Amino acid sequence: METLFLEAPYDKNIKLCTETLNYIKNKKYTKVALYASVQFCNNLQKVEEQLKKIGITIISSKPKRTQCQKQLLGCDCYKDSLNLTEEVDCYFYIGDGRFHPLALVYSQKDTKKVKEVICDNPIAKTMSVLTLDDITRNLKRYKGSLIKFMSAKSIGIIITIKPGQEQYKPASKLEKMYIHKKFYYFIDNTLSFDQLENFPFIDMWINTACPRIGFDDHELFRKSVLNLHDALQADAILRKESFFK
């Protein structure tokens, strides 16, 4: 079945709520990185005006998988995913929900100091703040997956055929890097967690689809799961000072 994906822009005025403006003033931030979910990206002029009026310099970028400047996807959860080259005081997100802005927290997970993510919901007209505390539990599990990967012998690699997520060739590098491990490839369009239980000989799983599966959906796996991005550099990650300490 052919599928057509269309953007659905929010057609009302978007501006920061009073709580958000007061918060950022009290924090005395001067430079922020601004991002939004796709439905709000085309209408951020008023938000930018409000921030500039209180002396805020706005920095942004076009993350790797996005279609436009300032657009944020939930899978942009690694530092190099954002294509952001400048240092900022904090991150600023326009949109509803936590899934997308949590990517901005994950993207800082191996930095010395995690900067907070200020979220302004233009629909509910509310503000929230995300910090390292919001992902600490998931990161502790993820550390266990990294350690498990180093000793595991039988590895199941989950490959999706969805456009933009298929990573069979990058995943095949693991066989050359870890010649003493046995790798099995499981290819499908949609990941079904229950079906993974049919392969008890697998010691752990490597996720090559959306990286948030490896971080947020750990409890849905009976065995450990690790994202391909980290499996390819597991030795280096475990050696350096990072969020794993």
Side-chain angles (χ1 to χ4, degrees):
M1 179 184 297
E2 293 186 1
T3 304
L4 177 64
F5 294 95
L6 297 174
E7 297 177 2
Y10 185 70
D11 59 1
K12 297 181 180 179
N13 291 330
I14 300 173
K15 63 179 182 178
L16 303 176
C17 67
T18 302
E19 183 183 6
T20 301
L21 287 170
N22 289 337
Y23 182 85
I24 199 168
K25 286 178 183 177
N26 292 335
K27 281 289 188 173
K28 294 182 170 55
Y29 290 140
T30 59
K31 185 187 289 188
V32 304
L34 177 63
Y35 294 97
S37 54
V38 67
Q39 62 265 43
F40 301 112
C41 284
N42 68 322
N43 194 12
L44 295 175
Q45 296 88 347
K46 183 63 176 179
V47 170
E48 294 178 353
E49 289 174 8
Q50 288 179 288
L51 291 174
K52 290 177 181 178
K53 191 173 182 179
I54 59 174
I56 301 296
T57 300
I58 301 169
I59 305 298
S60 195
S61 64
K62 180 181 177 297
K64 289 181 179 178
R65 297 178 179 87
T66 60
Q67 297 297 317
C68 61
Q69 189 82 2
K70 300 184 181 70
Q71 182 187 351
L72 180 70
L73 297 176
C75 55
D76 293 324
C77 54
Y78 288 98
K79 187 176 181 180
D80 59 356
S81 301
L82 296 174
N83 287 327
L84 187 67
T85 57
E86 296 189 49
E87 287 296 320
V88 295
D89 297 326
C90 69
Y91 291 83
F92 210 94
Y93 173 77
I94 306 298
D96 56 345
R98 289 164 49 94
F99 180 75
H100 288 77
L102 275 175
L104 294 171
V105 185
Y106 279 119
S107 71
Q108 305 177 72
K109 61 189 175 298
D110 55 356
T111 60
K112 292 182 179 179
K113 182 179 180 181
V114 175
K115 296 162 184 176
E116 64 182 13
V117 179
I118 302 172
C119 307
D120 186 280
N121 185 332
I123 299 175
K125 302 187 186 307
T126 57
M127 185 208 80
S128 60
V129 178
L130 299 176
T131 67
L132 183 63
D133 291 340
D134 292 283
I135 64 171
T136 297
R137 184 181 179 188
N138 287 347
L139 293 183
K140 287 181 178 179
R141 291 199 192 99
Y142 203 70
K143 177 181 179 179
S145 293
L146 268 167
I147 295 172
K148 174 69 175 179
F149 174 71
M150 301 308 296
S151 60
K153 299 298 182 183
S154 181
I155 312 293
I157 301 180
I158 300 169
I159 305 289
T160 177
I161 58 176
K162 288 184 177 180
Q165 292 191 22
E166 188 276 316
Q167 297 189 73
Y168 173 76
K169 287 185 178 179
S172 64
K173 296 178 183 178
L174 291 171
E175 293 191 56
K176 296 179 181 179
M177 296 175 62
Y178 301 97
I179 59 176
H180 299 298
K181 299 181 185 294
K182 182 67 175 178
F183 293 92
Y184 300 86
Y185 295 85
F186 296 80
I187 302 176
D188 204 344
N189 185 47
T190 303
L191 173 60
S192 175
F193 297 100
D194 293 338
Q195 292 298 319
L196 300 181
E197 297 177 25
N198 293 326
F199 307 96
F201 61 91
I202 296 295
D203 295 329
M204 72 168 295
W205 299 96
I206 299 297
N207 167 54
T208 72
C210 175
R212 293 295 291 276
I213 293 174
F215 290 128
D216 296 348
D217 295 332
H218 203 281
E219 292 180 344
L220 299 178
F221 288 81
R222 289 292 184 91
K223 296 180 180 178
S224 297
V225 59
L226 185 67
N227 288 328
L228 175 62
H229 183 282
D230 298 310
L232 289 170
Q233 49 183 336
D235 289 320
I237 292 175
L238 288 172
R239 283 198 302 267
K240 69 181 181 180
E241 292 186 8
S242 68
F243 69 94
F244 294 114
K245 291 193 69 175

